Every structure is written in C-alpha cells, then in structure tokens.
Amino acid sequence: MASFAISASSQRACSSNHVTKKQPSQTRTGRSLGTKQVSNVVALNVDGQKSLDIVEQQDKSSKSSSRTSKPNVAENDDLDTQSSHPKFNDARWKNGTWDLNMFVKDGKMDWDAVIVAEARRRKFLEMYPDSATNEEPVVFRSSIIPWWAWLLHSYLPQAELLNGRAAMVGFFMGYIVDALTGLDVVGQTGNFICKAGVFVTVAGIILFRKNEDFQNLKNLADEATLYDKQWQASWQDQKPSGPGKKI
Amino acid sequence: MASMALKSFTGLRQSPQEQQHPHFIAQALPRQQKFRVSAAKTSPKLTNRNLRVAVIGGGPAGGAAAETLAKNGVETFLIERKLDNCKPCGGAIPLCMVGEFDLPLDIIDRKVTKMKMISPSNVAVDIGQTLKPHEYIGMVRREVLDAYLRERAEKNGASVINGLFMKMDLPRNFEQPYVLYYTEYDGTKGGVGEKRTLEVDAVIGADGANSRVAKSINAGDYDYAIAFQERVKIPDEKMVYYENLAEMYVGDDVSPDFYGWVFPKCDHVAVGTGTVTHKGDIKKFQLATRNRAKDKILGGKIIRVEAHPIPEHPRPRRLSGRVALVGDAAGYVTKCSGEGIYFAAKSGRMCAEAIIEGSENGTRMIDEGDLRKYLEKWDKTYWPTYKVLDVLQKVFYRSNPAREAFVEMCADEYVQKMTFDSYLYKRVVPGNPLEDLKLAVNTIGSLVRANALRREMDKLTI
C-alpha cells in the first residue's frame, strides 16, 4: 500500500537527516555546472574539435567536484539558517508596514505609489519567500488604501480604454448600417433590431472579454457542481432498475 | 459517473425508503446470484444468537462504531492490524467531540486557543480572540485516542482482534454470512501470524484511506491529497510560543491547493503541508514551509517524518449489501481544513446506531435499507458543512491573491466568531443578516483589492 511504502521510506529518511539538505546543495552545484557548461560552449564555438575533449574533461571534473562538495554541505545540522536569497528591504517599509508619511507628494498623499510599492513587495516575496518572524510581523493591511484610490489606479484607465474602443466601433457601425439600410443615426436608435444588436454586443463583451473566458466559465460551472456529483454518487444504486435488468 | 443524470439533492429526501424494493445489482457477483432486499421489519428474527458485526479498523471510526454496537447487544468483532499504531495526523479535535464521545480530559495534550494565519506576503493575522474561556481545539496523540476508544469498546463487550484483514467473501444469498479472511497476530514482535476466518452478518469498513473493505465491495476510488509532516523537537524557549498556538501558512510556495501548518503536540511541533495536484513536489513544499517558519523552529531536530493520503471526497459507493464504509474509508474528510477525526468517529457511531435500530438491538437480521438510513442521516446532517468548506477552498485557495484576501478576511471578528462556532460545535449557525451582508461586501472588496495588486505585480519586473 502507498502508506506502507511511504512510512517505510520515511523511516529511512528520518534516520539520515541530510536528506533534506540535498536539494539546495544540488541546485547550487547545478547552477555552477550550468555556468561551466556555458563557458565551455563558448569555447567550442571558437575552437574546433580539439576543444571538445577539454569540454568533456572539464564537465567531468566539475561533476566530481560537486560530488565531493555535497557531503561537506550536508554536514550542516538540519534547520540551521541558510539565507542564500535576498531579503526585501525598502526605505519606506518600516516595522512591518508602509510608512505613509514617506508617500506624500506635493503635500498630498500619493496612493498610487503605495499600491505599486505593495505590489512590488508581494512580487518580491513570491519570488523569494521569506520566513514570517515574530520580531517583525507584517501588520500592513491593504484596506488602509481608500476605495477611490483603487478606482483611480486600476479601474478608471481600463474603463477609459473600453469606452474609447466602444465609441470608435459605435461610430463606424452607425456609418455602415446607414450605408446599407439608409437609416440614419436617429432612425437607428429607434429601430428595435438595432437596439437588440447593441444590447447583445455589450453583454457579450462583458462576459467574454477574451477568448479564454468562454472556457473559463465552462470550467467554473463544472467545478461548482463536481463536488455535489461526487457526494451523490452513493445514491446512484438506489434508482429502481428497469424490468429488463432482472437477473 | 459524470455522464449519468443525477437527481438533485433536494429530491433525495422525497423518495421514501420503505416503498421501494430495488433489485440490487452487485457487479462483483456472477450473474446467477440475486440479492433480495426487503424492509427489516419482515426480516427473520435471529434465533439463538445476536447479530454479528465485524468492524475492520480500530481508529476513531472503528472504535466509536464498536463501542456503540457492543453497548447495545450486538456481537462485535473489532479487527485492528497494529494496536500501537502511531498515525501521522494533525491531531486536532473540536470541542464537541470531547462532550459527545465522553473523552477524558487527560487525553488532550494541548488546548489550542489561538491560531495564526500567515499569508503569502507574510501578513500575519491572529484569530481566537472571540473564543470563550472554556472553548479550545484539542490536540491529541492518535495512539492515545485510538487506544482509549478501543479499550472502551472492549469494556462494553466487543472482542478486539489484533489482525490484518485480507479479503472477504460476499454472501451468495440473503441468509449466508460474510466470510472474512484475516491474519491474526499473537502479539510477539515479528510474528508471521495465523490465517483465520470469521463469519459475520454485517461489516463496517473503518480501515482508512487505503481501505481493503472498500476494494472488496468495489466502492470505487477517490481523489486524495498527500499530507506530509515532520515532527520537530524545538528548544524549550521556542516551544513557549507554541504553548497553545497553531499556525497556518498559505501560499503557492507552501502548497498550490492546501496549506502548510505548524501544530503543537505534546512536547514537540508538527510541521507539515499537503497537496492534491502536485504530489511530486511535496518535498519542495515541505522545505518552503520550514523556511517560512524558520525563525520559530530554529535549532530544532527532526524526530520523525511521516506522510499519509487524505481523501478529498466520498467514494462513489459507500455501502453495498450489509457492508458500510465509515470514516476515511468512506472519504469523510472536509475540504479546506482537512478535518477527519471527528467525522470518522461520528460516522462510525451513526452507522452503528443505524444497525442497532434496524436490528432492534441485535435481535433481527438487517439489510441494506437499514444501512442506507445511516447514509441518509449523514448526508442530511453534514452536507451543508462539507459544501461550505468546499466553496471556501475553491474560492480562497485558488491563487495567491485569493489567499491574501482570505487572511485579510480572517482578521474580521465576525468571521472568527462564525468560523469557530461552526468548527467547534459542528453546526452551521445562521448569523445576523446585516453582518452577513457586511461580510459579503468585505469579502468581495478583499478579493478585488488582492486581484488589483496582482495585476500591478504582473506589470512589474524584479
């Protein structure tokens, strides 16, 4: 059974604590191997066949050196500090929150800069996850940024873009329909078919802004009902079977 | 499974059990056999003996089931393969379990009254201020809890057998018993064990995620998550921080669809994580979890590494004939929190109660209809809980922005009160409608803010 195998292997794993250390040391040697190979490739381009042997030898030597270096790294006891990645710091990030006084521009609060700064911090942490310490807990809450700042920053530019596009499309559609049917703009707004066409277009754009949206909505519908189906599977047998199924 | 048209759940309650006499078609049996199912009231009274029921698996589900059965006059056999099994488990039990199952307070190693939720960007939120002084989440050692329930079952008259269930012969007609084949161990370490058989009238499969009983009745498979956990002994001064506090870490680095945790146990902490979709990367997620908790578990020594599958949803078939599945074998683990101990014990008890009722305290033979009553009662009582947790998981464990919103929401006192009420007492309490509306607005606000930040993040490059 899977659980027996896992517990058996984990018994072996727990006896040798440097199992967990292998991965970082491997990546480190992997990275060094990578750089060596890059330099070798460059050498290959410059020289000819002769350098191929040198390349192979260098690869072998780097591999053997990585193997000898692994036990040295693995001797470190488990759970010791190994901060090989950069930590986030920013002059405006103090004591686990953004110092809002430092975002004042021309005497007014610059919320756009706060939004961008927080986005940068989150992106940094996503790429280099850091430990959550008790000494410097993060107490920043994004709710401190007022709602209109979000609108001004992200919603309004997008709305402006969409409105601009809609206006251009509308103007040209009006021109084309006039050329085809003779209805001018005043006549088009009175016509039921034209109005229905506008309604369908607007609804379609809201729902299916991109091509993927159609598949996304379908996936969402499936996902919402899958759990229900899994629970009701036990009640499948209860349906009375037809006369043909009597055995 | 998905191709068949399913009845909506509300329709299920309208179909009365007693009037239908479905012809049960067991695909496992050869064609000549016919299984006649009828209401228990017309079942023959058992002469000279009581109903015999075997409970396979001696965890919380098996122990609770065996105790209820034995207490009410049924001849019970509890078959457990490893009596000192130290199960890999979070070990958290809700407050209601202590009351409902009369657990002595010395079983509980720690009473967790505070929890910390930590978002992908390390925003830390403390929850638990709304707990009353007598409320807590109990942390237990599984070997202690399981042993206590089994001993109580034995005291009530169940026979506890140390054996490994191998397979089972399904009966050819209604009067025939189920024949179980198991290997009995006599208690000596490394003993090979003797093959034995046992004839019983009904079987409760409580043998966990890799249930053999489920295989014998072709119950079908489920999706499962892998939970990986390391027990770490940390220095005493660091242990003080975890005195009654548990931590939950969310983030793509820690798990793509679950969470990483640090739970305090009797004298050490358990650091672990789990995943459904990226099982191959579990070691990477475990490293990330340890990295996030690095400062708080610095200098600790790993004393044990363990892993276990956790079912994500019930098996397609939870009973067949007079065999019913309970607990992990049936797949009764909630989403979002991955809680299984309480539901295992409760389902074991509910199934046993259905057997007692159907057999009138062990005097009559039961049939599948009686066991279906247990399924019906279970689904009706706990379906809202499972569905709500499923929705929470789908909404809030989707992506990093959703997790940030989740942690932000947890800072709200109303949310904390509702969460703890529903977790500790296992009832979905309708809250104040005005507060619910405020909560809905706040949730949407959090999600919108987090997604707006995500769009900003996409524009940046570091």
Side-chain angles (χ1 to χ4, degrees), chain B residues 189-266:
Chain B
K189 238 177 153 50
V192 161
E194 293 176 32
K195 291 210 193 307
R196 287 199 198 278
T197 61
L198 179 66
E199 281 187 0
V200 290
D201 302 310
V203 179
I204 296 185
D207 43 348
N210 299 316
S211 169
R212 281 192 192 179
V213 176
K215 244 192 278 283
S216 313
I217 62 168
N218 285 337
D221 266 330
Y222 44 38
D223 301 324
Y224 64 95
I226 281 281
F228 187 91
Q229 180 170 267
E230 287 167 343
R231 308 228 188 168
V232 179
K233 184 122 179 63
I234 58 178
D236 286 334
E237 61 269 15
K238 293 211 185 281
M239 199 65 207
V240 170
Y241 170 69
Y242 288 112
E243 182 72 34
N244 46 16
L245 181 139
E247 282 180 334
M248 261 177 65
Y249 294 88
V250 286
D252 269 335
D253 55 330
V254 162
S255 168
D257 49 12
F258 205 60
Y259 61 89
W261 62 83
V262 179
F263 287 161
K265 300 248 179 222
C266 46

Side-chain angles (χ1 to χ4, degrees), chain A residues 50-69:
Chain A
K50 219 194 293 179
S51 59
L52 196 62
D53 302 322
I54 306 169
V55 164
E56 284 175 348
Q57 276 182 2
Q58 277 179 329
D59 272 348
K60 284 206 197 98
S61 66
S62 62
K63 278 205 197 99
S64 60
S65 68
S66 71
R67 248 180 267 130
T68 50
S69 67

Side-chain angles (χ1 to χ4, degrees), chain B residues 87-380:
Chain B
K87 295 255 185 78
C89 181
I93 59 172
L95 185 64
C96 58
M97 184 162 175
V98 178
E100 280 180 37
F101 289 87
D102 298 313
L103 298 179
L105 289 176
D106 56 3
I107 277 193
I108 297 175
D109 289 333
R110 263 174 212 282
K111 302 190 176 170
V112 166
T113 50
K114 292 188 291 221
M115 273 193 68
K116 216 186 240 295
M117 315 265 309
I118 297 169
S119 81
S121 67
N122 285 336
V123 176
V125 166
D126 286 307
I127 62 181
Q129 295 103 316
T130 55
L131 282 179
K132 303 194 193 63
H134 66 276
E135 293 177 337
Y136 57 87
I137 303 173
M139 305 300 289
V140 301
R141 264 170 293 168
R142 279 294 301 278
E143 57 270 27
V144 173
L145 175 71
D146 295 356
Y148 173 76
L149 289 174
R150 273 199 302 267
E151 272 161 25
R152 207 163 63 176
E154 200 166 19
K155 265 196 276 245
N156 279 305
S159 338
V160 176
I161 302 172
N162 183 3
L164 173 62
F165 171 77
M166 306 297 282
K167 66 187 181 79
M168 146 167 97
D169 281 346
L170 303 171
R172 274 182 288 277
N173 59 42
F174 191 72
E175 281 78 38
Q176 295 257 325
Y178 285 86
V179 183
L180 310 174
Y181 297 90
Y182 65 97
T183 311
E184 180 160 359
Y185 303 119
D186 58 357
T188 56
K189 238 177 153 50
V192 161
E194 293 176 32
K195 291 210 193 307
R196 287 199 198 278
T197 61
L198 179 66
E199 281 187 0
V200 290
D201 302 310
V203 179
I204 296 185
D207 43 348
N210 299 316
S211 169
R212 281 192 192 179
V213 176
K215 244 192 278 283
S216 313
I217 62 168
N218 285 337
D221 266 330
Y222 44 38
D223 301 324
Y224 64 95
I226 281 281
F228 187 91
Q229 180 170 267
E230 287 167 343
R231 308 228 188 168
V232 179
K233 184 122 179 63
I234 58 178
D236 286 334
E237 61 269 15
K238 293 211 185 281
M239 199 65 207
V240 170
Y241 170 69
Y242 288 112
E243 182 72 34
N244 46 16
L245 181 139
E247 282 180 334
M248 261 177 65
Y249 294 88
V250 286
D252 269 335
D253 55 330
V254 162
S255 168
D257 49 12
F258 205 60
Y259 61 89
W261 62 83
V262 179
F263 287 161
K265 300 248 179 222
C266 46
D267 59 352
H268 55 275
V269 293
V271 180
T273 180
T275 174
V276 181
T277 47
H278 290 72
K279 295 189 182 73
D281 293 330
I282 189 76
K283 288 267 174 66
K284 190 171 71 132
F285 297 140
Q286 177 68 12
L287 268 179
T289 312
R290 276 206 270 131
N291 184 39
R292 293 259 236 129
K294 189 166 62 188
D295 280 3
K296 296 171 227 171
I297 58 174
L298 197 56
K301 290 237 175 307
I302 300 179
I303 54 179
R304 202 182 143 97
V305 179
E306 48 199 17
H308 201 71
I310 298 182
E312 284 288 297
H313 63 83
R315 290 191 194 262
R317 204 195 267 198
R318 284 175 272 161
L319 65 86
S320 158
R322 297 195 293 267
V323 180
L325 297 175
V326 295
D328 270 14
Y332 288 147
V333 178
T334 63
K335 293 219 169 176
C336 192
S337 59
E339 189 198 344
I341 303 184
Y342 173 76
F343 293 105
K346 193 79 184 166
S347 63
R349 178 177 277 193
M350 236 185 229
C351 184
E353 281 168 354
I355 293 181
I356 300 290
E357 201 184 299
S359 71
E360 291 180 5
N361 286 23
T363 49
R364 288 188 189 278
M365 181 62 92
I366 58 164
D367 64 13
E368 186 178 321
D370 302 310
L371 290 175
R372 282 221 174 258
K373 289 210 181 75
Y374 133 69
L375 269 195
E376 199 182 62
K377 187 166 170 213
W378 179 262
D379 281 0
K380 192 161 72 163

